Amino acid sequence: MNNESLKLELIQWILLLKDIQILNKIQKIKNNPYEKTVAVQPRQFGCGQGIFTYIADDFDATPPGFEEYMLP
């Protein structure tokens, strides 16, 4: 499929759209077609160390009222 036929297909598809959210996204792309995307850096091992400073003693205990949902 060449560029011209792809453009025509997209135009026909846009004409049939009724969802305002999708139309708004298309409008945003039209206004800023070359918006820079932020590259997400991979997480480093241990980066969350020290975030949790307290965990209750009964953290793994079944909350009251949920006993019937627990597996035997």
Side-chain angles (χ1 to χ4, degrees):
M1 182 179 284
N2 63 24
N3 286 343
E4 295 304 315
S5 63
L6 180 61
K7 288 177 188 179
L8 289 173
E9 183 180 335
L10 286 172
I11 290 169
Q12 291 171 351
W13 177 75
I14 290 171
L15 290 172
L16 297 174
L17 281 176
K18 292 183 170 73
D19 187 349
I20 191 69
Q21 291 176 337
I22 295 175
L23 290 170
N24 286 337
K25 287 181 184 179
I26 293 170
Q27 180 69 30
K28 182 179 176 185
I29 292 170
K30 179 186 161 277
N31 291 339
N32 194 0
Y34 303 106
E35 184 175 313
K36 293 181 182 178
T37 57
V38 177
V40 177
Q41 296 293 326
R43 294 184 183 135
Q44 296 294 319
F45 180 78
C47 65
Q49 186 175 2
I51 290 177
F52 297 105
T53 57
Y54 173 76
I55 297 176
D57 294 333
D58 64 346
F59 178 78
D60 288 329
T62 304
F66 284 88
E67 292 84 8
E68 64 182 275
Y69 299 104
M70 299 301 293
L71 294 174

